[in-house]
Amino acid sequence: MKQYRAHLLVCAGTGCVSCGSFEIKAALEQEIARRKLQDEVLIIATGCNGFCERGPILMVQPDGVFYQRLKVEDIPFLVEEHLLKGRPVKKLMYVPPAEREPVPKMKDIDFFKLQRLIVLRNRGRIDPEKVDEYIAYDGYAALAKALTEMTPEGIVAEVTAAGLRGRGGAGFLTGRKWALCRAEKTTPKYLICNGDEGDPGAFMDRSVLEADPHAVLEGMVIGARAIGAEKGFVYIRNEYPLALKRVDLAIRQARDYGLLGKNILGTGFDFDLEIFRGAGAFVSGEETALMASVEGQRAFPRQRPPFPIQKGLWGKPTTINNVETWANVPSIIRRGAAWFASLGTETSKGTKIFSLVGKINNTGLVEVPMGISLREIVHGIGGGIPGGRDFKAVQIGGPSGGCIPKDLLDLPIDYESLTKAGAMMGSGGMIVMDEDTCMVDIALYFLRFTQEESCGKCVPCRIGTRQMAQVLARITAGAGTEEDLTKLEELAVTVKRGSLCGLGQTAPNPVLSTLRYFRSEYLAHIVDKTCPARVCKNLIAYYIEPEKCVGCLLCLKNCPVNAISGERKKVHTIDQALCIKCGACFNVCPAKVQAVAKYTGDEKRALSPAAAPRKEPS
Amino acid sequence: MKITIDGREIEVQGPAYLLEAARSHGVAIPSLCDHPQLEPFGGCRMCLVEVKGRRGFVPACSTLVEDGLEVLTATEELKVLRRRVLELILTEHPNACLVCAEKKSCDEAKATIRKTEEPTGCVLCPRNKHCDLQDVVDLVGLDGVKLPSIYRNLELRRDDPFIDRDYNMCILCGRCVRVCAEVRGAAVLTFINRGPKAIVGAALDRTLAASGCQFCGACVDACPTAALAERATRPELRPDATRRLICALCSQGCTLEAGLRAGRIVATPPAPGGPVNHGQACVRGRFVIRDLVHGSGRLAKPFVRQDGHAEEAGWDEALDRAAAGLEKYRGAETALLLSNDLTLEDAYVSLTFGRDVLRTANVAFSVLPTLEATLDEIRAARDWAPDPGFDLDEVGEARTIFALGADLPVTHPMVWLQVVKALRRGARLITAATGPEIMCGLAEVDIQVRPGRELAFLGRLVGLVLEGTKERTEAGFGELRKSLAGFLKANAKESGISKETLARAAKALTENGPAVILAGPNLCAGPDRTDKVAAVVDLALLSGARFIPLAAAADEQGLAELARRLGLRPTSAAEILNGVRKKEIKAVYAAGTSLSFAGDERPEVLILQAGRRVESADGADVILPAALFPETGGSLVNAEGRLQTMESAIPPAGEARPGWKILSALAGRLNAQGFDFADAAGIRDAIGRVWPGFGSGRPEFASRQAGARPRFIPLASGRKASRTERGRPFLLAVTANADLSAGTDLSRISRGFRAVRDSRFMTLNPADAGKLKLKDGDQIEAASAFGAVLGVVRISALVPPGVVAMRLIPTESVSVRLLSEGAAPVALRRRD
């Protein structure tokens, strides 16, 4: 193998790609060639590093220097300084919020420091399109072990002993699921990898499939051996083109290497995989709906039992696990159940990937040991809230999850504690909210989402979510009554208890958890007709504070409905009757002026023309 | 199995769902999406119950009974939940009729005739008083809807024949979608959209007609609300009486439940427990009978020919004229033309009239020889032919089904339902088709045969199965084997089907357990019909498959048997027309025929007995108005060999009389004895005297040879298939159209039916249509060497390029000739 003095690891996860990492890679190649360094420096496109906020990302090895937010025009300078003159470029390094000195090395950056990588162990260090690189980092060693040294029962026992639980939502014990499926007499049996990631703001499955597709494949082949399946499907939504491409490539490479297909590793074991492209309905992530979709039917969930392990795909026993679950399997087999079980809490073992989004400094994908506190994630890894705002809550588990408020920041994260707190692990979406987030509005947002994504099959989910969304819309519009809260709770129970599948059964969670922790905010909307976070349009007003306004005409020019009057160097005023509360004036008013203010409730009424006669322009 | 429901222990047999088990023991659990013929759905959530040890609530409809289950169906929590779910349903569904405080007194106070076709209020809903939703509201005891209504404001869909779709009434129970897919195998209806926009419709929200709907009406009958309604009955009040009908519009004999109002038939939905149709019907029985009986064009008075015109006359005058006409000729100069859907009562009197009064052997039931007649020929020549009778369940239980010579969803929908049932149980379907047969869509092996090359295909398939067969003990095996070499030589390149396809079909037929071969009436098209049927019989014998011939018309088997019992050997109408043309036959009495007797086919004397005005009426000397089957009642033998008898449902239109009464009267005028029947039951007694065992559900057939040993029939080498020729670049493939009732073309009397299946449809490939710049609905003419037939363009990729397929009703010599040829080269011309 050829030796290079430096490896340039360009992040080619979807986040960085959309920030232009392919252009960065091209610029690097061009510059390296121009400097005739191609025999000394190797450029590699890796999977997602997780720190998507900072893309495009470049790692220089062996120095371990982390460059971020690169632009094509930075490249010649970077190559000259770092690779020719050996001087790392400070201005392209990461500077933690509220600090001035950059942190040059990835291992010293808080975002990476506090993580524990099992599933994402290969992220940022291998080219996911090259099976050799995966193998170089112990890839397929677990498969070899499973096929040559272990019995199928032994594999099941190992996974069971590890305490691995499904990473897709409900957290069912994976080993137990496999054992039940293995015990079924009917053949053939099928295996499915559920990659229909649909939660708003969640992208961990995509990242795993993009960064380390072979880990998922290896996990599935091991699982196939354990339950006795000959055929599997990787269900990936069509909105993930890069994941589709890389998994497709990985399947072909694995077949070429005898790691998939007939007579795997010469052991006589046959198993093959096929990709199924999902058309992007949220409900397809529900396992029975997903199987209907693979069968070519409309993605309708069906009543369980029978469970997929009894009657799954085409009525045959089927084990369906989430991407992250499958990707955990090789490490468990390679390093043993005891090692895996040593991580995490009593009931939740190993690590969990969370996608950290919303009002947080370090947006990205993080893998943390179970049992870590929310505070460590939000303020440690996440680097806190931008703009000096205060943390308010975090929505965990997407539209099926719930909000966890500030008081519970020290909650150790595992399946049980989250459920108890009214949220759920779900697939691991974490949406951080600051004090400018209205919790009623957030509940409405999620309800609208589940309402739109309801498959329409069962009544409580299809109509109940619609009714709930209507009540919430009424409250955010300032037309709610206290009775509405009772109605909301009644509807929530109906939807939760009456719905057919997980989508409906969990759809009320955002409402129930916000009602539980932020009831006062609901009451503020209903009783005081105020929106404390100043979000709900009907309850707020924009007002130009005369003493601050410098009369720059900026807001006046940007107002889409010409509601602002005024002249240069004279105080501007907003005609409340015309204002549509788009917030354009608020956003364009220069930061050092900040003359446009948002008011709510009584403050607003005080501003109505009747209550506070406007100064007539002289 | 023993389970407890609400503390009561009950005993349940076999695999059963909780809902049906509970209901059969009198435990009332409300449900809306459940349907006895359909797989559980679990969507309406009305049947949620509590099962000890199960998490949450479970729907009783989709929970299988297990021994020892402890079930609670009416806890306070469940009651509240059901009420709330039902309330949610009612927020989307007009609910004034359901929870109105005045609902008890409203019937007397507001009874009204629905003058508008649009339901504008509770009492105007076409489902008012027989709506499942109303029943469930009563059962649950809901007295108000507190949640705000969400009117979906969907457009009333009236762009299809027969069916109106008002999805504002839809509760998305999915029964229509499921009955369409699970029972009918059509899958025209589906759920479309998601979330609050989720609704039922055809794919891409097209019309039903454009989505391949055959308008069987199963969706309408499955709908629990008024979302789907029969357009014709929407503005009418509910029927005040119902009568059982046996449908005589095809060979299957479905039981229908005619709804009557003021002595008229308003609707003919399927009866719930019909032995043939099990609560299903098809477009003919479901939607056409009303028009057939009450639509314009009924003959309500006798007519006689006066100075070249048909003049209204009294019965006496008409019968006198008829008698006078017939008196002039006797014996071989006369002929009796009957239709294949005549009741046995009418047929008995007609046949004895022909035998004893006209004393002629010229009796025909159909224009061209039927399968039954073809099998008779084989039986006569080879001392053996398979018995025609069968049981529909045999099809449903088969593991492999080979269907040919019919498009089952269209021609034999109840047989098709059994095919669908078998397919859902994992059976395999092989189809062979020459035209746009829609059944191919569900076939595992779908063989497209060029018109005229059916025998070549069948022979090769027989050959292939023969290759894998060891010596057989049945007679004729050696002969068959010997004939194969000659056949293969003569048909080396004729079949045009790949060896792989044939091998797949042969493999499926022989290696998958019990197989049936459904042989349809189209096998009888073309001069080589006997050879084709013989080849299919051989194929069945070789592969061990059950040979099931499918008759085309309502009473084909019964009439053939009755003729045998009366010592008659019927001929075909085509032969009789020949006789007329040669002036050997001078007088014809026709009871229900599609033939028009124009030109030199007009006999000296033509007496026509018909229920409706037909083309041949113009040339008739006397027209005698006959009652139709809902008016006469009577007995029919269906394709299975099942005898079914119905009473008359309504009185005859105007002065029309049952056929047997007319002929009895005529016989009396011709001084014949023995025609003094008092009623239909009297005729049945008379039939019983010549047909031992008549009257039971499965009467004996003289044609059946108990204990006869099957024998193989050598393959005929066949003839050269028709090919296109200079100036006639298309091959017109014709099959007999059986959408007839007593000779009346159903597509002429029902506009809706015409839109679904016009007998003039000429189906051609999109490529050909493109070349000729033809579009759906264009009028064209297909000119053959025998003359031209007119048609309406239908474009379908199911027809191969160069072929024009037509289901033709024989009316004059051109169509008769075309049908006996099976295929002919034609030129296509647009007619503007």
Side-chain angles (χ1 to χ4, degrees), chain A residues 298 303 453-454 462 497-498, chain B residues 45 77 92 148 193-195:
Chain A
R298 178 181 168 95
Q303 191 70 35
E453 290 295 338
S454 167
R462 174 170 57 88
R497 304 219 64 179
Chain B
R45 315 307 282 176
E77 210 181 346
E92 283 191 350
N193 302 334
R194 250 184 288 173

Side-chain angles (χ1 to χ4, degrees), chain B residues 382-403:
Chain B
R382 316 284 316 176
D383 275 343
W384 181 81
D387 291 339
F390 68 102
D391 201 303
L392 273 172
D393 289 343
E394 289 178 68
V395 182
E397 281 153 18
R399 298 289 304 153
T400 303
I401 297 166
F402 178 29

Side-chain angles (χ1 to χ4, degrees), chain A residues 345-387:
Chain A
T345 69
E346 192 58 42
T347 58
S348 310
K349 305 296 185 191
T351 59
K352 175 77 193 91
I353 309 178
F354 289 102
S355 64
L356 210 49
V357 296
K359 303 287 181 64
I360 188 137
N361 276 315
N362 302 339
T363 301
L365 209 62
V366 302
E367 183 173 357
V368 291
M370 294 278 190
I372 192 173
S373 75
L374 263 178
R375 187 182 301 281
E376 283 172 281
I377 296 181
V378 173
H379 289 291
I381 299 173
I385 315 297

Side-chain angles (χ1 to χ4, degrees), chain B residues 662-746:
Chain B
I662 299 173
L663 277 171
S664 297
L666 196 54
R669 278 181 164 66
L670 290 165
N671 303 317
Q673 302 298 310
F675 288 88
D676 44 0
F677 301 105
D679 53 17
I683 305 173
R684 285 197 281 277
D685 290 342
I687 298 174
R689 284 194 285 276
V690 296
W691 186 345
F694 178 81
S696 78
R698 290 302 182 105
E700 278 301 309
F701 282 76
S703 62
R704 294 195 187 149
Q705 306 147 291
R709 301 222 343 123
R711 59 183 301 151
F712 289 100
I713 308 158
L715 286 171
S717 288
R719 47 154 206 159
K720 277 259 171 287
S722 309
R723 287 177 198 284
T724 53
E725 54 198 40
R726 184 185 278 271
R728 296 196 181 95
F730 291 93
L731 207 54
L732 180 69
V734 291
T735 50
N737 188 328
D739 294 333
L740 288 169
S741 177
T744 308
D745 177 350
L746 297 182

Side-chain angles (χ1 to χ4, degrees), chain A residues 201-236:
Chain A
F203 51 100
M204 53 290 282
D205 291 349
R206 187 191 73 203
S207 191
V208 172
L209 292 171
E210 284 174 5
D212 208 6
H214 284 287
V216 179
L217 263 47
E218 187 180 2
M220 288 186 81
V221 184
I222 295 170
R225 173 69 172 170
I227 68 154
E230 281 180 30
K231 171 97 195 168
F233 293 88
V234 189
Y235 192 99
I236 306 173

